Amino acid sequence: MHARIVMLVDLDYFFAQCEELRDPTLKNKAVVIAMYSGRTAESGAVSTANYVARYHGVKSGIPLFLAKKRLEGVESVFLPVDFEYYEGISERIMRMLKSYADIFEQVGIDEAYLDVTRRASDNYDAARELAQQVRSEVMIQTQISSSAGIGPNKLVAKIACEIGKPNGLTVVTPSEVISFLHPLPVDRILGVGRKTAARLENLGVRTVGDLAGFDAQRLTEVFGRKLSIYFHNAANGVDDEPVEESGEAESISRIATLKANTRNLALVLDRCTELIHEIHKELVKKKLRFRQVGITAVLSDLTIRSRSKTFDQPSRDIETICRAVRELFEKFLAKSDLGVRRVGVRVSAFEKEELAQKQLTSFFTNQ
Ligand code: TTP
Ligand code: MG
């Protein structure tokens, strides 16, 4: 049994950096990427800005007129978003990142989680080495600088990555998690925005450590049960969200927490039934047929196990998913001596009907 090593790679000031790549004379100027709303020639918001512009207080989301005001007297360039160009660069980089991961999950145009547990042989020094390699490959191949964070889960990896930006690498080993997180301002935690941070401040909570030590009962009264459990776990660096293969065309998956940890097959399958129904609905909607069914189990010690089964023929049949999930969990539970905490179901290896049809048609017309 082992814990995970999760890496987050996020490209630095991405849209603006792409523009600098196209026109290196921009580098010493303030570069602002503008999303024009079209209402007037000048109205809109900042998509992102390079670090020269950030130094003057320009950041994502602020109105363009404010950005202009803050850059008065500074040599600056405003450019419209060129999404297609950025996407081309992103795709190349994502392919590189993927080749470094056991499990790869892209979460935005310039951001991806890599589960590197196996690749790094459970070793944080090896993971650091891997991050250096992947960042330098991206730099050499595309001249794009990136930052990476490494930790035992997504939450820690994400915060670590942000801390080291730009062009940084921050590694947080399991024994360093608490001392890393606790001094940070509480709004570093995903989901703690300005309003929540202000409410927390009223309760005397400024740092992540304050939040971790705050009375659980009182937190629940203010934020409700669900959110306060999340806050409490996050403040202690606990996060068991798996890194999951992403991409619409690659897989559809659902994951859910059980009422209590269990090794009981019937209870596990009961929870899976709901997930299977949701997955099936999506398969029908997207007209997809799968050739692979997989299960994920997050165990009581938070380790994650996955199993899958591949079929010769593509299918969209709900019965096929149910049978495969039962078979996989039956085998899995027979061997596991730990209780299961969360269960996941995944279908993948898709064959899109229309696509198959199209390929067939073009095959015949090419004869
Ligand atoms: P981010 O990774 O959040 O920002 P960034 O890459 O510009 O800067 P950082 O160095 O801090 O990572 O977002 C990636 C891209 O998404 C960003 O370049 C532009 C776009 N974006 C918007 O269009 N609007 C927004 O509000 C944000 C946050 C990002
Ligand atoms: Mg970025």
Side-chain angles (χ1 to χ4, degrees), residues 23-224:
D23 177 3
T25 66
L26 295 176
K27 267 191 189 283
N28 299 317
K29 302 173 188 164
V31 178
V32 180
I33 308 303
M35 283 182 294
Y36 293 102
S37 66
R39 215 154 26 91
T40 71
E42 295 298 298
S43 63
V46 171
S47 162
T48 193
N50 71 354
Y51 279 80
V52 180
R54 287 183 198 195
Y55 174 80
H56 295 282
V58 175
K59 55 182 182 180
S60 296
I62 69 167
L64 290 176
F65 76 82
L66 190 57
K68 291 230 159 81
K69 206 166 125 199
R70 291 190 176 161
L71 290 172
E72 257 167 38
V74 179
E75 198 180 358
S76 53
V77 179
F78 283 67
L79 296 166
V81 172
D82 181 355
F83 207 72
E84 254 171 54
Y85 167 56
Y86 314 141
E87 209 151 45
I89 296 174
S90 160
E91 272 170 25
R92 281 182 65 200
I93 295 176
M94 291 300 152
R95 267 200 301 276
M96 285 177 221
L97 299 188
K98 189 172 174 151
S99 71
Y100 282 80
D102 304 339
I103 313 170
F104 177 78
E105 181 179 7
Q106 186 177 348
V107 289
I109 188 165
D110 79 333
E111 189 178 357
Y113 286 102
L114 287 70
D115 188 317
V116 295
T117 313
R118 223 163 357 105
R119 211 61 70 104
S121 317
D122 292 325
N123 179 309
Y124 275 77
D125 289 331
R128 177 194 292 275
E129 185 65 30
L130 210 58
Q132 268 156 352
Q133 269 174 28
V134 67
R135 290 175 57 237
S136 102
E137 184 180 338
V138 170
M139 177 51 85
I140 290 165
Q141 301 285 342
T142 65
Q143 279 78 55
I144 289 283
S145 89
S146 60
S147 298
I150 294 175
N153 54 46
K154 286 179 163 180
L155 176 116
V156 174
K158 168 105 183 154
I159 298 173
C161 178
E162 281 167 4
I163 294 284
K165 261 185 177 298
N167 199 18
L169 167 59
T170 308
V171 181
V172 182
T173 64
S175 64
E176 294 164 342
V177 166
I178 295 296
S179 59
F180 169 72
L181 287 180
H182 281 191
L184 299 176
V186 76
D187 64 2
R188 282 286 174 181
I189 288 177
L190 191 73
V192 180
R194 241 197 359 232
K195 279 189 196 151
T196 309
R199 285 171 81 187
L200 285 167
E201 170 122 33
N202 280 337
L203 300 170
V205 174
R206 282 203 185 83
T207 65
V208 177
D210 293 341
L211 183 59
F214 195 75
D215 182 60
Q217 177 97 35
R218 183 92 182 82
L219 202 62
T220 310
E221 281 165 19
V222 180
F223 292 101

